[in-house]
Amino acid sequence: MTDRPDQTDDNPITTRRGIRSFVLRQGRMTVGQKNAYDRCWPKYGLTRDGGVIDPREVFGRSAPLNLEIGFGMGKSLAEMAANAPEQDFIGVEVHLPGVGALLKEVEERGLENVRAYNVDANDVIDLCLPDACLDRAMVFFPDPWHKKRHHKRRLIQPEFVQRLRHKLRVGGILHLATDWENYAEHMMEVMMSAEGFANTEEGSGFAPRPDHRPITKFEQRGERLGHGVWDLLFRRTN
């Protein structure tokens, strides 16, 4: 198997310095994932080197645009795209087997409304997305970094949320979900104090799971372990 071109010393997974919210796990794609990747990446893959995209050119149409950060193995993203063919979806995932798994789903389902990045989401936000292009941004079940000394690694932080805000159109939705109560409380604290966002629920209330968010394996695992699941939906107001 050949490595994807981004993961080299000259073209790393991220260009950002400092604390990372992810650790690159060692792992290889299955034969099926590798074959799907080789066949589909030229059509469905997006690269940091491509610079700022025009979504209308990428998808060949003007349609509501969704971004999922950290799509894992891609099943939920593929399901959302299959259920909403009138919308377009961009997924970001640093782990190559996950990208291969998504492209396998895309190929098997015949989806035309999905594209993927295989780099740090921070780079996608800073270097690839035009301002006010997104109707919805989604971060489902990010690594909770549950040890207190690791909380600084959590993706949902005030600075990250503000950078993402500028990529949402006014009225667009930031949708977060976690099965760790402490992280849910942290997310709510960040979002309630975030400039330019308003909770779609009253006060600091969590939202019921919207129909468009599939129940993921992480959610099922959490339910088995007796964890709750918390959804936060915040609208960009300015």
Side-chain angles (χ1 to χ4, degrees):
M1 181 182 71
T2 58
D3 291 334
R4 56 148 177 74
D6 280 310
Q7 197 171 355
T8 66
D9 291 339
D10 294 331
N11 202 3
I13 194 74
T14 182
T15 63
R16 288 176 63 86
R17 298 180 181 275
I19 297 169
R20 296 185 184 182
S21 64
F22 61 88
V23 174
L24 281 176
R25 298 186 297 270
Q26 296 299 316
R28 300 175 70 86
M29 290 190 284
T30 65
V31 172
Q33 292 166 357
K34 173 63 167 57
N35 290 340
Y37 180 91
D38 289 344
R39 287 190 298 266
C40 298
W41 181 256
K43 179 177 180 180
Y44 299 102
L46 299 172
T47 66
R48 179 177 55 217
D49 290 346
V52 178
I53 64 169
D54 181 341
R56 294 169 297 182
E57 292 183 0
V58 169
F59 291 97
R61 65 177 182 175
S62 180
L65 183 61
N66 303 274
L67 174 74
E68 184 178 5
I69 293 172
F71 59 73
M73 300 307 283
K75 285 189 177 295
S76 294
L77 178 55
E79 185 174 341
M80 287 189 292
N83 291 337
E86 76 286 357
Q87 300 181 33
D88 292 328
F89 293 80
I90 294 175
V92 184
E93 177 56 59
V94 294
H95 300 291
L96 188 58
V99 177
L102 171 67
L103 295 179
K104 189 171 184 290
E105 290 277 345
V106 166
E107 186 175 47
E108 291 174 351
R109 292 171 179 256
L111 302 176
E112 296 293 333
N113 59 337
V114 178
R115 299 294 185 273
Y117 281 100
N118 188 202
V119 292
D120 181 7
N122 287 291
D123 282 357
V124 174
I125 293 168
D126 292 342
L127 304 174
C128 302
L129 296 179
D131 286 347
C133 70
L134 299 174
D135 292 88
R136 181 171 55 189
M138 301 168 287
V139 186
F140 298 154
F141 304 97
D143 193 326
W145 294 103
H146 58 276
K147 293 182 179 179
K148 188 172 183 179
R149 68 177 183 272
H150 292 155
H151 284 185
K152 61 183 179 292
R153 285 181 169 265
R154 287 175 168 176
L155 180 62
I156 305 304
Q157 304 289 354
E159 185 266 349
F160 175 82
V161 165
Q162 286 305 313
R163 286 170 38 241
L164 189 54
R165 173 171 71 98
H166 292 294
K167 305 307 171 180
L168 284 163
R169 65 170 177 81
V170 173
I173 296 293
L174 176 55
H175 182 181
L176 311 175
T178 181
D179 61 350
W180 285 82
E181 185 173 10
N182 177 265
Y183 200 5
E185 294 169 349
H186 169 84
M187 288 177 173
M188 184 60 74
E189 181 180 352
V190 168
M191 293 307 303
M192 288 298 293
S193 62
E195 178 186 354
F197 280 104
N199 197 349
T200 62
E201 300 296 311
E202 185 175 353
S204 58
F206 293 96
R209 180 181 64 86
D211 290 340
H212 62 254
R213 181 174 74 74
I215 298 178
T216 69
K217 69 175 183 179
F218 297 100
E219 188 167 355
Q220 293 170 339
R221 179 203 65 187
E223 289 175 347
R224 290 195 300 270
L225 294 173
H227 296 169
V229 175
W230 294 267
D231 284 80
L232 297 79
L233 277 77
F234 276 74
R235 179 177 291 105
R236 180 182 176 183
T237 58
N238 63 62

